[in-house]
Amino acid sequence: MTPLFEHGELPYGIFSVPGGEPRVGVAVGDRILDLASLFGDTVFFEPSLNGFMAQGREAWTAARAEIRHALRSGADSHLVPAASAMSHLPFEVADFVDFNSSLRHATNVGRILRPGSEPVRPNWYRMPVGYHGRSGTVVVSETPIVRPRGQYAAADDVIVAPTAKLDVEAEVGFVVGTPSVLSERVSTSDFSDHVFGVVLVLDWSARDIQSYEYVPLGPFLGKSFATSMSAWVLPLEALNGARARAPVQEPAPADYLRVDDPSAFDLRLELSLNGTAVSAPRFDDMYWTPPQQLAHLTVNGARVRTGDLFASGTVSSGDQCGSFLELTSDGERPLRLADGSTRGYLADGDRVLLRATAYCADGARLSLGPVGGTVSPARPGVGVPH
């Protein structure tokens, strides 16, 4: 099989082999390093990364150095073929927050959904806006996505039916390892002390359900039925070489959102549908950066916990858009795929895949764990007569 990781990324995940219990491993090419058997530490026998992530930054750095040393010294007896293993959700998700941090995405969506009005509201330029999602519906990559049903407007009626506008958003997620204290905010400079690693995220959306329900309180059932994330968590430390300067922010952000060091990451994403690449947005074009997102998330004193996941929101840059709402102008301009078929929104049986590469200043190229999902038909449910 083609190695998933080839450049020493050493991402963490949870795996199991037939007859064995889920445990912590590190992906090394087309194999998995079994940390439980290598180190014998009970934290690596656990079926999630939460225990290890809670140990803090010094432990993360030390473990990464020890893993590198073990691989140089010969650890073949602790390596498992990835083809014979099953991947599991890498950590127990405590809370899930999704931001809306791409100016291009915010502008595109505003023009599509609110024609004739200012596409981006003034407060958007003042703070990273977002919403709280449902941690219980965050699933590991390749989990089937069942088409949701709900209420939405159709013709002159309101119906309860499977969504006709199933969409997905290409995002980057950040995983909290070290918790914070209730009523104490986290500063932008403390970002690396709290964030353990990075995953790719597919945030599934039912646009018709969302558009009917979102006034006055915002996203709810149209966004809460499923969110997919990578099976492998790339340590934040691995991306130090890919840090980049963020776009200029005007007006200048509030003091608690100011960042002195490069706080963006040079990641190039590729979104594909049924094997056809449909978009390649850049993450370093995001208006609000991950340290600013974490600072804003806690400015009111809200705490973060081990296993919290906060996502960037749709990554769109230039003419490269991270959602089908944008790519097809709400279904009005369907995409043509390599097999000749067209799509406005997602059909049953469609498979979406998101990949990303980090571009480091020294020329290195690092792969992030991919995330994918296939759409399954809606399950039987109760609706109102059409």
Side-chain angles (χ1 to χ4, degrees), residues 27-329:
V28 184
D30 59 1
R31 295 181 292 177
I32 299 172
L33 181 63
D34 184 345
L35 297 190
S37 67
L38 176 66
F39 295 132
D41 190 324
T42 56
V43 76
F44 296 126
F45 284 92
E46 296 179 8
S48 81
L49 288 169
N50 293 58
F52 173 58
M53 295 193 304
Q55 292 183 347
R57 187 177 180 181
E58 289 187 7
W60 311 336
T61 300
R64 190 167 172 82
E66 290 173 10
I67 289 166
R68 289 187 181 280
H69 175 74
L71 291 171
R72 287 194 299 267
S73 302
D76 288 357
S77 62
H78 302 287
L79 290 166
V80 176
S84 66
M86 175 181 291
S87 292
H88 303 271
L89 193 71
F91 58 92
E92 297 176 14
V93 183
D95 280 313
F96 171 52
V97 173
D98 200 10
F99 285 95
N100 178 358
S101 295
S102 164
L103 179 56
R104 176 56 58 189
H105 173 71
T107 302
N108 289 340
V109 172
R111 287 172 176 165
I112 292 169
L113 299 183
R114 297 186 300 275
S117 64
E118 191 64 31
V120 181
R121 305 293 170 84
N123 69 321
W124 194 94
Y125 296 96
R126 294 285 184 176
M127 60 184 178
V129 298
Y131 71 92
H132 282 271
R134 291 179 65 88
S135 59
T137 54
V138 178
V139 297
V140 70
S141 177
E142 302 305 340
T143 300
I145 304 302
V146 177
R147 181 178 296 273
R149 62 175 63 239
Q151 289 196 47
Y152 58 89
D156 297 325
D157 199 1
V158 175
I159 64 174
V160 179
T163 178
K165 293 186 175 182
L166 182 60
D167 194 4
V168 71
E169 298 176 325
E171 307 190 12
V172 179
F174 294 83
V175 186
V176 173
T178 307
S180 64
V181 177
L182 184 65
S183 78
E184 294 184 9
R185 69 180 182 89
V186 176
S187 71
T188 56
S189 61
D190 291 333
F191 175 77
S192 297
D193 290 329
H194 289 274
V195 172
F196 170 75
V198 184
V199 293
L200 294 181
V201 170
L202 289 174
D203 191 37
W204 305 87
S205 304
R207 297 301 189 186
D208 37 19
I209 297 172
Q210 180 186 358
S211 64
Y212 185 66
E213 71 182 2
Y214 88 106
V215 177
L217 291 181
F220 187 39
L221 301 182
K223 302 284 290 183
S224 64
F225 58 95
T227 301
S228 304
M229 73 173 178
S230 314
W232 298 99
V233 183
L234 185 65
L236 186 66
E237 180 182 342
L239 289 180
N240 282 339
R243 289 182 179 267
R245 290 286 177 186
V248 175
Q249 296 174 334
E250 183 63 39
D255 286 346
Y256 77 92
L257 290 171
R258 293 184 180 174
V259 183
D260 296 325
D261 299 323
S263 59
F265 294 90
D266 188 356
L267 309 180
R268 320 286 174 88
L269 280 58
E270 181 187 83
L271 181 67
S272 64
L273 174 59
N274 299 337
T276 299
V278 297
S279 184
R282 295 178 58 128
F283 187 66
D284 59 352
D285 189 57
M286 300 292 276
Y287 187 89
W288 294 107
T289 68
Q292 291 175 317
Q293 291 166 353
L294 181 59
H296 186 64
L297 178 60
T298 61
V299 69
N300 66 344
R303 64 179 298 216
V304 290
R305 298 180 293 169
T306 300
D308 276 4
L309 172 66
F310 63 96
S312 61
T314 306
V315 182
S316 295
S317 61
D319 62 352
Q320 301 296 305
C321 303
S323 73
F324 288 90
L325 171 67
E326 298 167 85
L327 289 168
T328 69
S329 294

